[in-house]
Amino acid sequence: MNNYKNFSLNNVSQYHKTGGKYFFTLELECYDPKTKETHHFIMPNEPLISLSLSKNIVKTKTLAPEQVGTVKEYVNTNDWDIKITGVCFNEKNKDLYPTEQVKEIRNLVALQYPLDVVNNSFLELFGIRSIIIKDVSFNEMLGKEGLQEYTINAISDTDFYGELIEKL
């Protein structure tokens, strides 16, 4: 079920207020300059996506002993932390291990380049158009031979451009 096609930005803002997790199709693309190929991935079975964002703030203690608290100085904002959690299963035989889906996730994680997000209204709402995978885990699924849970931790990636104002 491709829920993201009916997932407008207006709906996102309403759902965002609940603080819940979101799930819908997640497509990622990566251009490999070495092979000159574009790799396209659709994450299996509509994974859950969680986002978090933190700021770098320097806290300085005051010298007045009667003063409670610190002086805060905002330095910058970090990248978005992205957690993608899903379950692989063999669509043809739910009792067999989902080898092909697990291999696809391994291939995705093995890429050494940023991954472009394709047609995802939720991530677009936060300005996330590209991600870099930090790590992946395949969690045990006791008593569930035909299922494999996975968690991918990633960060947002933004292109930065310098502007030459004055030639030396």
Side-chain angles (χ1 to χ4, degrees):
M1 183 175 192
N2 292 328
N3 295 334
Y4 78 95
K5 291 181 180 174
N6 299 323
F7 201 70
S8 72
L9 291 179
N10 291 334
N11 291 341
V12 171
S13 61
Q14 291 172 353
Y15 291 122
H16 177 64
K17 292 175 187 172
T18 67
K21 293 183 178 181
Y22 304 91
F23 64 96
F24 42 86
T25 300
L26 177 59
E27 293 181 55
L28 300 169
E29 230 173 41
C30 176
Y31 176 72
D32 186 339
K34 291 180 183 174
T35 63
K36 300 197 184 323
E37 293 179 329
T38 298
H39 304 277
H40 187 82
F41 297 89
I42 297 177
M43 300 304 293
N45 312 316
E46 301 175 334
L48 295 172
I49 300 174
S50 301
L51 301 174
S52 62
L53 183 69
S54 62
K55 296 179 178 183
N56 291 316
I57 298 173
V58 175
K59 296 191 294 184
T60 305
K61 295 179 182 177
T62 61
L63 296 177
E66 66 280 352
Q67 175 101 18
V68 176
T70 58
V71 176
K72 287 94 178 158
E73 178 185 2
Y74 168 78
V75 177
N76 65 359
T77 302
N78 290 323
D79 298 316
W80 282 97
D81 286 315
I82 304 163
K83 182 177 178 182
I84 302 165
T85 305
V87 176
C88 299
F89 63 88
N90 188 319
E91 295 175 16
K92 294 177 183 165
N93 185 343
K94 294 187 180 9
D95 293 328
L96 292 178
Y97 187 77
T99 304
E100 291 307 312
Q101 290 182 1
V102 172
K103 281 182 182 178
E104 280 295 304
I105 292 172
R106 285 187 54 211
N107 291 339
L108 174 72
V109 173
L111 293 170
Q112 302 295 314
Y113 304 101
L115 300 161
D116 294 326
V117 177
V118 180
N119 298 326
N120 191 294
S121 299
F122 176 64
L123 293 176
E124 180 66 32
L125 178 65
F126 297 94
I128 301 171
R129 295 176 187 95
S130 181
I131 67 172
I132 295 177
I133 294 177
K134 295 186 336 183
D135 59 62
V136 64
S137 61
F138 294 96
N139 305 320
E140 62 185 34
M141 303 280 298
L142 282 174
K144 311 223 179 191
E145 303 85 26
L147 300 175
Q148 179 60 66
E149 182 182 325
Y150 66 91
T151 301
I152 295 173
N153 291 303
I155 55 174
S156 61
D157 184 40
T158 306
D159 291 332
F160 290 97
Y161 299 98
E163 184 176 324
L164 181 61
I165 297 173
E166 183 179 315
K167 290 184 179 180
L168 298 176

